[in-house]
Amino acid sequence: MGFYIRVEQTVNLYVEDLGPKDGQPILFIHGWPVNHKMFEYQYNQLPKKGYRCIGVDLRGFGKSDQPWEGYTYNRFADDIRAVVDALQLKNFILVGFSMGGAIAIRYMARHLGHQVSKLALFGAAAPVFTKRPDFPYGMAKEDVNKLIKETYRDRPKMLSDFGDIFFARCVTESFKNWFHGLGLEASGHGTAMSAIALRDEDLRGDLSKINVPTAIFHGVQDKVCPFELAEAMHAGIKGSELIPFHYSGHGLFYCELEKFNSELVQFIT
């Protein structure tokens, strides 16, 4: 069932609510630059096991409103809080992929883990997405600037080029076209502004504020968020579990689909 939730006076987010309403809720935060439909192959399976899957399109993406402003981790986290409160979620599992993982971490820190029982981070763009003088891992800021420039110049080509480094294992052309289409559903400006957040935000101070069981799923061959980011998160989040996906790139949710779903069920059970 799809519907809208108002998170600001002029901003509504599209939400998909799948599975039994009395099931354990799992709230999914998608990555840049796609939308909640990227988790199709989890939504297909988890409700069969009794889980309630809630997918949210972040502002500027998918079917959600596309405001000119508000593309910061703080605002994204506040939007998630508004969804949690509107649905009156309690004891829910928060999961986030790539930029969605970064937003999940900011939610945990900014909203003190409000109603979250467990946290799962998939190829998260954290603790820092871009290289810094004191953090030598991640993308170069110049490469992110190029993504932003290409978003405003030729967004379909940018998405296609970005997709070429997304999956480590071969995927069909049909699948690549489908995934590419998810990116095209987004606002061009929202895509660019979110890339600025990816480039500039720093979550290192947030990690120590996470105090729920946390699993870090990460592709060893990830070319977008290198595996060193997972190791840094693992070191910074007390008691976290690091689950490497040896044959996956950034798109571990599909590269090793069966292992991904199996490990997720094992963690959330």
Side-chain angles (χ1 to χ4, degrees), residues 139-198:
M139 272 197 179
K141 287 191 174 184
E142 294 77 17
D143 291 336
V144 182
N145 289 338
K146 182 179 178 182
L147 285 175
I148 295 166
K149 185 177 180 180
E150 289 302 312
T151 296
Y152 284 124
R153 176 184 291 168
D154 188 343
R155 187 161 64 97
K157 184 178 186 304
M158 181 281 291
L159 291 171
S160 181
D161 291 345
F162 187 66
D164 287 342
I165 64 170
F166 210 90
F167 299 99
R169 305 178 79 175
C170 292
V171 295
T172 64
E173 283 300 312
S174 298
F175 185 89
K176 287 174 67 175
N177 291 339
W178 170 76
F179 200 72
H180 181 263
L182 299 185
L184 288 174
E185 292 179 27
S187 152
H189 179 67
T191 299
M193 295 300 290
S194 300
I196 291 172
L198 278 164

Side-chain angles (χ1 to χ4, degrees), residues 2-269:
F3 51 89
Y4 285 89
I5 290 175
R6 177 167 292 182
V7 296
E8 282 190 300
Q9 187 170 1
T10 59
V11 181
N12 299 285
L13 299 191
Y14 181 76
V15 177
E16 197 83 34
D17 196 342
L18 305 165
K21 294 299 175 284
D22 59 349
Q24 168 75 54
I26 310 172
L27 194 155
F28 291 79
I29 309 178
H30 65 81
W32 183 92
V34 288
N35 56 59
H36 84 280
K37 288 187 284 189
M38 63 160 284
F39 292 113
E40 175 178 334
Y41 297 91
Q42 285 68 56
Y43 301 149
N44 285 346
Q45 300 301 322
L46 293 172
K48 297 177 185 177
K49 299 180 182 295
Y51 293 100
R52 176 186 177 190
C53 295
I54 300 161
V56 180
D57 284 348
L58 296 169
R59 61 172 60 209
F61 296 89
K63 295 181 180 179
S64 288
D65 287 345
Q66 302 179 351
W68 190 252
E69 298 177 327
Y71 299 96
T72 66
Y73 286 179
N74 282 351
R75 184 62 253 181
F76 282 132
D78 292 351
D79 288 351
I80 296 300
R81 173 64 185 264
V83 171
V84 169
D85 289 347
L87 296 178
Q88 298 182 326
L89 298 182
K90 299 185 185 304
N91 191 38
F92 74 96
I93 298 158
L94 180 61
V95 307
F97 169 73
S98 195
M99 185 180 77
I103 294 165
I105 291 171
R106 178 54 53 84
Y107 176 91
M108 296 300 296
R110 183 171 171 84
H111 295 286
L112 305 178
H114 177 66
Q115 297 296 346
V116 176
S117 61
K118 291 184 178 181
L119 173 68
L121 304 170
F122 311 144
V128 185
F129 182 64
T130 51
K131 294 176 182 177
R132 312 290 168 93
D134 59 347
F135 193 82
Y137 312 112
M139 272 197 179
K141 287 191 174 184
E142 294 77 17
D143 291 336
V144 182
N145 289 338
K146 182 179 178 182
L147 285 175
I148 295 166
K149 185 177 180 180
E150 289 302 312
T151 296
Y152 284 124
R153 176 184 291 168
D154 188 343
R155 187 161 64 97
K157 184 178 186 304
M158 181 281 291
L159 291 171
S160 181
D161 291 345
F162 187 66
D164 287 342
I165 64 170
F166 210 90
F167 299 99
R169 305 178 79 175
C170 292
V171 295
T172 64
E173 283 300 312
S174 298
F175 185 89
K176 287 174 67 175
N177 291 339
W178 170 76
F179 200 72
H180 181 263
L182 299 185
L184 288 174
E185 292 179 27
S187 152
H189 179 67
T191 299
M193 295 300 290
S194 300
I196 291 172
L198 278 164
R199 182 192 68 194
D200 295 344
E201 299 257 16
D202 189 336
L203 295 158
R204 284 177 287 183
D206 296 33
L207 299 182
S208 64
K209 299 175 184 176
I210 296 172
N211 58 3
V212 300
T214 301
I216 299 165
F217 292 30
H218 216 98
V220 174
Q221 301 177 48
D222 197 326
K223 295 180 180 178
V224 178
C225 296
F227 194 72
E228 287 85 357
L229 299 192
E231 294 173 328
M233 284 184 281
H234 182 43
I237 302 174
K238 186 177 180 180
S240 61
E241 177 184 7
L242 176 56
I243 304 170
F245 286 71
H246 294 283
Y247 305 105
S248 292
H250 197 47
L252 70 164
F253 59 91
Y254 191 78
C255 287
E256 294 181 77
L257 175 59
E258 290 184 2
K259 177 183 177 180
F260 184 92
N261 285 353
S262 174
E263 292 282 2
L264 181 57
V265 169
Q266 184 174 327
F267 172 66
I268 64 181
T269 299

